[in-house]
Structure formats: structure tokens, C-alpha cells
Amino acid sequence: MIPFLLISGPPGVGKTTVSWEIFDQLIDEGYRPALADVDLLGAAWPAPEDDPYNERLRAANLQAVWRNFHAAGARCLVAATVVESQANLDRYRTAIPDARATLCRLHASGAELANRIVRRGRERGDGIDKLTKRALYLAEELARNDIADVVVDTTDLDIPDVARRIRTEAGGWPD
């Protein structure tokens, strides 16, 4: 079985940063990990009307990327993305043959999400307000429709602590 850790949560919660930390920890411990920012695997425009967030494209690209990672020697996968539904989770699980998938949902307070979105400096002008509103909406939706195996609040933790907590609460992931 391929250990497959999906890090989910709203924008600003730290998915990508925490995924990199876990990846680095795994390398330091002698594992052979791969890392994918699944959101970037779906960065194509225009998106189909019936798949506005390119979920099908993301899953198909993740499958292709994993084949290449595995052929290059990777034996576990850490991926960052927003997993909004069971259907999307199933799509990602299916993309990685023989995966033992663990979904971790990261959470942070609304004020912390807004602060992080501003601090990271990627968005400008009304883009900050739009992304903050989307982040707050997603935080509520993900909590209400929780399908995660593990939930970690990142509000008052530093990145290495979040990564260690995820791995511990996921049963010593990837083992």
C-alpha cells in the first residue's frame, strides 16, 4: 500500500507550507517521499461548467504525476489541496493505485485565516477580500461536512508542530 497523505483546508490555513514541512521531515528520516500541490495541477482556464474547480483535471494530473514520482523511486505521497466532498476524495484516492489515503483537514480561526492571506502577499486589491470570504466559507463548509480522518487547528502552532501533530494523529504516518 502506498501511504498517501492529503492535506486539506481553506486558503490561508497552511496546507502548502505544512506539506513541505512533512516532506522535509520524511527526507530527514530516510523515507522516499513525493510532494504535490494539487491545486496547481488544476491551474488551467477555462474550467468546464460542470467542473468549475477542475477537480477531474487535478485528479488525472495527480495520477500521471504519481506514476512518474513512483517510477523515480518515491514510496509515499504528500499532497496539498482543498477536498470539499466525498466525491473529490474518492477521485484522489482512485488516482493513486493501491493507496492508503489519509485526509487531514487543517483549521484556523477566521481572523488568523484573513491575516495569513494578507501576509502571504499573493493577492491584491479586491482579490484579498474575495479570497478571505472564500476561505471563511470553506472553513465552515469543511467543518460542517467533515470527512477528514484527522483535524488539526493551526491557529497557535508553528509549522513543525503542525506537521508532527498531523503525523502523530494519523497513526505515525507514513508507517
Side-chain angles (χ1 to χ4, degrees):
M1 297 293 282
I2 301 297
F4 176 28
L5 180 63
L6 277 156
I7 308 290
S8 179
V13 79
K15 297 180 298 293
T16 302
T17 304
V18 169
S19 296
W20 271 108
E21 176 65 25
I22 292 171
F23 178 75
D24 288 343
Q25 287 178 9
L26 294 171
I27 290 170
D28 291 346
E29 295 168 16
Y31 290 97
R32 297 163 69 182
L35 174 65
D37 186 329
V38 179
D39 292 343
L40 292 178
L41 297 178
W45 190 258
E49 284 185 26
D50 66 337
D51 189 17
Y53 298 109
N54 278 328
E55 297 294 342
R56 290 189 306 265
L57 177 63
R58 291 175 193 211
N61 284 342
L62 181 63
Q63 184 174 47
V65 167
W66 171 249
R67 275 194 307 267
N68 293 331
F69 282 153
H70 194 258
R75 294 300 174 255
C76 59
L77 176 62
V78 180
T81 192
V82 178
V83 180
E84 291 187 62
S85 68
Q86 186 65 49
N88 286 341
L89 177 58
D90 292 344
R91 224 179 249 122
Y92 295 130
R93 284 183 168 151
T94 301
I96 311 301
D98 300 320
R100 180 176 40 86
T102 302
L103 176 62
C104 175
R105 178 174 59 85
L106 300 181
H107 172 79
S109 70
E112 185 64 18
L113 289 174
N115 185 33
R116 291 176 186 176
I117 288 168
V118 170
R119 276 193 328 229
R120 70 186 187 184
R122 277 187 252 165
E123 292 74 29
R124 295 182 187 93
D126 68 341
I128 293 171
D129 291 335
K130 287 179 185 175
L131 187 59
T132 300
K133 286 178 184 170
R134 174 92 173 128
L136 297 174
Y137 166 79
L138 277 173
E140 289 178 14
E141 283 298 302
L142 294 172
R144 182 176 15 264
N145 303 317
D146 195 13
I147 55 173
D149 301 301
V150 174
V151 178
V152 175
D153 190 325
T154 69
T155 303
D156 295 317
L157 297 175
D158 65 15
I159 300 303
D161 287 338
V162 172
R164 284 189 291 272
R165 185 167 292 176
I166 290 168
R167 294 181 63 202
T168 298
E169 292 186 21
W173 196 92
D175 296 325

